[in-house]
């Protein structure tokens, strides 16, 4: 799809769609952040097939900076592949996050680094404590989808926006799954520690 510039030369059509959502998690901020850092892999988001930590460091304010590379299978429908003119489904996403334990805020920004000549998906997630209930966490999510120089761009953007919305729901379920897994691991650790106490007490008595 093209529009004509004043000079008469065709210019690729670029269209944007922005989606914004907010959800409330029933767990404290600290718990949610631990789960967010260990979110992948999980059975709710099988499209994420690999995660590589490229860099992780603390700044002089105690904030944790992470730079990760996610390998994902977009699973595009055949008609979308035909419109985009590509059969490629494996895409790479660059993710930067900052966790501020003092301000109790985690901000995560991600963007695809594959197929950028055709489509860009920029996402921003912010986790903060609920202003009225510190035992809950507020997640604010924003995504900007840009399809470049392709017919049916509005259709593609709408389709991808729906996909992001669906993945956001799966992402919330994934956090619950990870939190449950972390709680189970903690209970198992406590149980193991309790089971070791009699043996440790007996060994101390023998001495």
């Amino acid at each position: 799809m093209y529009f004509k510039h004043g000079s008469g030369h065709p210019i690729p059509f670029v269209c944007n769609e922005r989606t914004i959502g907010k959800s409330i998690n029933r767990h404290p901020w600290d718990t949610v952040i631990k789960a967010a850092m260990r979110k992948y892999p999980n059975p709710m988001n099988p499209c994420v097939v690999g995660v590589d930590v490229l860099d992780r460091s603390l700044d002089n304010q105690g904030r944790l900076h992470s730079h990760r590379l996610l390998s994902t299978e977009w699973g595009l429908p055949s008609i979308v592949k035909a419109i985009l003119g590509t059969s490629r489904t494996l895409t790479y996403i660059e993710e930067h996050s900052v966790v501020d334990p003092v301000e109790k805020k985690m901000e995560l920004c991600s963007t695809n680094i594959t197929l950028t000549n055709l489509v860009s998906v920029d996402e921003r997630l912010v986790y903060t404590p609920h202003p009225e209930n510190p035992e809950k966490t507020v997640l604010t999510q924003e995504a900007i989808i840009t399809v470049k120089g392709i017919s049916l761009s509005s259709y593609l953007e709408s389709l991808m926006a729906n996909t992001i919305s669906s993945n956001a729901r799966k992402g919330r379920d994934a956090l619950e799954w990870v939190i449950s897994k972390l709680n189970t691991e903690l209970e198992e650790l406590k149980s193991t520690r309790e089971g070791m106490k009699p043996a440790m007490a007996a060994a101390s008595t023998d001495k």
Side-chain angles (χ1 to χ4, degrees):
M1 185 179 298
Y2 295 86
F3 68 91
K4 295 288 185 178
H5 190 268
S7 62
H9 298 294
I11 305 295
F13 178 75
V14 177
C15 191
N16 299 90
E17 176 154 332
R18 179 189 296 263
T19 61
I20 299 175
K22 183 173 288 189
S23 61
I24 298 176
N25 189 287
R26 60 189 179 89
H27 301 283
W29 182 84
D30 299 72
T31 301
V32 172
I33 297 313
K34 290 175 184 176
M37 298 295 288
R38 295 179 56 176
K39 186 176 177 180
Y40 302 112
N42 70 72
M44 289 76 178
N45 298 111
C47 59
V48 180
V49 296
V51 179
D52 294 294
V53 178
L54 304 181
D55 185 52
R56 183 163 286 167
S57 62
L58 285 172
D59 63 21
N60 55 13
Q61 297 181 47
R63 297 176 301 187
L64 177 64
H65 295 255
S66 299
H67 180 197
R68 304 195 302 181
L69 182 69
L70 277 59
S71 305
T72 67
E73 284 284 355
W74 272 5
L76 300 174
S78 299
I79 186 173
V80 175
K81 293 178 186 176
I83 295 172
L84 291 176
T86 180
S87 59
R88 183 169 189 168
T89 58
L90 181 65
T91 58
Y92 295 101
I93 296 175
E94 192 173 34
E95 177 191 276
H96 293 269
S97 65
V98 180
V99 178
D100 189 331
V102 178
E103 295 293 331
K104 286 191 177 295
K105 177 181 179 181
M106 176 181 180
E107 182 171 346
L108 185 152
C109 296
S110 64
T111 186
N112 60 297
I113 56 176
T114 310
L115 302 177
T116 53
N117 60 314
L118 302 174
V119 59
S120 295
V121 180
D122 299 297
E123 287 191 81
R124 179 174 175 264
L125 282 69
V126 179
Y127 297 87
T128 54
H130 193 286
E132 299 174 0
N133 187 345
E135 293 302 307
K136 295 181 179 182
T137 302
V138 177
L139 166 60
T140 303
Q141 184 172 10
E142 175 181 325
I144 300 176
I145 305 162
T146 306
V147 176
K148 310 166 185 176
I150 299 172
S151 297
L152 302 178
S153 15
S154 296
Y155 164 75
L156 287 177
E157 287 171 352
S158 178
L159 179 64
M160 297 188 75
N162 290 335
T163 300
I164 288 174
S165 179
S166 174
N167 287 340
R169 289 192 294 272
K170 294 177 182 178
R172 292 192 290 271
D173 291 340
L175 281 180
E176 290 291 342
W177 180 81
V178 174
I179 290 172
S180 177
K181 184 179 179 182
L182 290 175
N183 288 337
T184 299
E185 292 176 355
L186 181 60
E187 289 301 319
E188 290 176 350
L189 181 61
K190 288 181 179 178
S191 178
T192 301
R193 184 183 300 171
E194 290 297 322
M196 292 176 61
K197 282 184 178 180
M200 295 174 63
S204 178
T205 302
D206 292 340
K207 290 181 180 179

